[in-house]
Structure formats: C-alpha cells, structure tokens
C-alpha cells in the first residue's frame, strides 16, 4: 500500500514565524501535491510538483512556497505565518500517467496547523 | 472553470438503508473521477476511481457510476452501517494532475 506521511498531526506556531510542513511518500511517485482544507471552502490546491525541483502554483499559492529536493519529499513553507493560514493541510502523491490513464491520488493524514 | 457540487451537504439515515450520494461537475472534459472518505480530523481515504471511459466501479458495498456527458456521478452505498458515518468527497481530475474537489456530503448512519 502507498504510504504518505506528514511529519506532524498538530502544530501550533506564532504569527511571523517561518513554518515548514513535511511530506514523504514511499512509492516513488513523480507527482506530489499540497492542499488546504477549510470549513465551507473544501479542499484547495496550494502547489504541486511533477518532478524533483519542479513546482507549479495551484489556486491559492500566496504566502506559501515549496521545496522538492528529493523525489520522495515535498515541503510546504509558510514564509511568514499569519492567522489566516490556520487550517488543515493535506499532502498527496500520485504516479505518473501511463497508457492514457490517470492514477489515483493518495493522501496523508493531514497536519492541523494553528497560527496564534 | 471546473466546479464540482455535491448534494446533499448532509444526510442522516438509519442502519440498513441503501443510499445514494450525488456529485455533479460543470466541464465534462475530465480524465477520471475519484470518491474519497474522510473521518473527522483525518486525511482522505480513496474509495473508488472511475476513468473517463468507464461507466461504473464497484468495491464491496460501494458502487460508483459516471455519466460524463451529463456531468454526474453517484456513489451508492448498500446496507449502510454506523461505521459508514463520515464525509464523502468526490473529485475530478481534469488536467491529468491536481484534483478539483466538491465540498462533500457528511453522512450519519444511526444504529
């Protein structure tokens, strides 16, 4: 089974801090994703990466950056945390497309981040 | 821009009932559609994936259908159990990479 591991289940930080959220997958997937989930807004894509050192902005990239130095690890960085970044953050991965098919995304357990 | 809608937002049923959750999307040019389950405070568990060329997928008591031309998918749960209580999310894969999610249906099954 695919395993997507997020380093923290719960995290509390202060405004202005630089925050790192880590995600590791064990299935050699090319594609990795960061979403945030908020009540009433659902899941929204922040950034994704389809290869090492490659990144693409999603729908809400403002205030965030990402790093993908190794294939198995995708980090989300809050450059200067603000209270409106309090949310549930979900990481996902998927294998590359093949034979015209698209593979399922597999999700981690999420990190509930509170910015005080 | 693709929009995914799930109706109803919440559903309460007694144990043993068969039920249908609905998902609609505005742009039929999708690669696949995926149904997920989310328990409170947890991540997403993939239930079923339907490719755009398929009409349905089955796993145990779950059956998902896809009508791409009308922009609709349904998740059928047979003989519901209290353990089925969770939020069910559908998501479409349009560009071959990231998913676009509906806001989910929260299901409560009472014993």
């Amino acid at each position: 089974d695919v395993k997507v591991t997020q380093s923290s289940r719960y995290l509390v930080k202060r405004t202005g801090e630089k925050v790192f959220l880590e995600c590791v997958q064990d299935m050699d997937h090319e594609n990795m994703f960061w979403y945030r989930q908020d009540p009433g807004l659902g899941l929204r894509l922040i950034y994704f990466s389809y290869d090492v050192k490659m990144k693409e902005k999603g729908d809400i990239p403002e205030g965030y950056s990402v790093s993908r130095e190794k294939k198995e690890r995708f980090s989300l960085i809050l450059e200067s945390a603000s209270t409106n970044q309090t949310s549930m953050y979900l990481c996902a991965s998927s294998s590359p497309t093949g034979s015209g098919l698209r593979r399922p995304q597999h999700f981690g357990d999420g990190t509930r981040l509170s910015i005080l | 821009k693709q929009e995914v809608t799930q109706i109803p937002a919440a559903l309460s049923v007694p144990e043993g009932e068969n039920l249908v959750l609905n998902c609609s999307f505005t742009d039929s040019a999708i690669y696949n559609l995926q149904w997920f389950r989310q328990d409170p405070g947890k991540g997403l568990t993939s239930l079923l994936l339907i490719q755009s060329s398929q009409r349905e997928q089955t796993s145990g008591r779950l059956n998902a259908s896809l009508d791409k031309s009308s922009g609709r998918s349904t998740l059928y749960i047979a003989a519901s159990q209290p353990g089925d209580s969770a939020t069910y999310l559908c998501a479409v894969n349009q560009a071959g990479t990231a998913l676009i999610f509906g806001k989910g249906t929260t299901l409560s099954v009472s014993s």
Side-chain angles (χ1 to χ4, degrees):
Chain A
D1 275 357
V2 176
K3 183 75 172 172
V4 178
T5 303
Q6 295 184 230
S7 55
S8 304
R9 290 297 311 280
Y10 302 94
L11 207 53
V12 180
K13 296 291 182 181
R14 297 199 176 278
T15 55
E17 280 193 66
K18 190 169 187 176
V19 181
F20 293 85
L21 302 184
E22 306 287 346
C23 176
V24 177
Q25 48 91 7
D26 66 356
M27 284 300 291
D28 203 35
H29 284 171
E30 267 74 6
N31 302 327
M32 295 189 75
F33 310 84
W34 276 106
Y35 298 87
R36 66 177 280 177
Q37 184 177 29
D38 300 286
L41 297 176
L43 277 92
R44 294 176 292 168
L45 180 67
I46 305 171
Y47 267 98
F48 68 97
S49 169
Y50 51 88
D51 204 349
V52 176
K53 295 191 186 295
M54 305 298 287
K55 61 184 179 183
E56 292 286 341
K57 292 180 180 179
D59 297 321
I60 50 165
E62 296 78 20
Y64 303 94
S65 63
V66 290
S67 172
R68 185 122 182 247
E69 296 296 319
K70 293 185 178 181
K71 192 176 185 180
E72 67 271 17
R73 186 180 296 270
F74 192 35
S75 302
L76 180 69
I77 303 158
L78 285 66
E79 297 291 343
S80 178
S82 64
T83 55
N84 62 12
Q85 292 178 309
T86 292
S87 186
M88 172 73 124
Y89 289 87
L90 291 159
C91 174
S93 72
S94 68
S95 59
T97 62
S99 304
L101 298 178
R102 303 298 187 262
R103 308 294 176 86
Q105 287 192 15
H106 300 270
F107 281 77
D109 285 338
T111 295
R112 187 164 294 281
L113 175 65
S114 296
I115 307 296
L116 304 179
Chain B
K1 184 180 175 182
Q2 177 77 268
E3 291 185 5
V4 181
T5 303
Q6 292 186 246
I7 295 174
L11 182 63
S12 293
V13 299
E15 182 177 8
E17 273 205 10
N18 302 324
L19 58 101
V20 174
L21 307 181
N22 297 293
C23 174
S24 62
F25 46 96
T26 55
D27 187 344
S28 61
I30 64 170
Y31 288 113
N32 60 41
L33 183 145
Q34 199 167 350
W35 282 94
F36 294 89
R37 169 187 172 134
Q38 186 176 31
D39 293 296
K42 298 290 183 65
L44 277 64
T45 301
S46 180
L47 297 174
L48 290 164
L49 175 85
I50 312 177
Q51 302 294 349
S52 61
S53 58
Q54 297 175 323
R55 298 285 292 186
E56 64 179 298
Q57 281 285 331
T58 298
S59 176
R61 293 183 295 107
L62 305 179
N63 175 277
S65 69
L66 174 64
D67 184 343
K68 205 174 73 160
S69 61
S70 67
R72 294 179 185 277
S73 176
T74 62
L75 179 66
Y76 174 83
I77 303 177
S80 58
Q81 304 170 357
D84 295 330
S85 298
T87 296
Y88 291 82
L89 296 158
C90 77
V92 298
N93 183 335
Q94 188 167 24
T97 52
L99 296 175
I100 301 168
F101 283 84
K103 294 182 181 177
T105 294
T106 299
L107 173 65
S108 176
V109 182
S110 56
S111 56

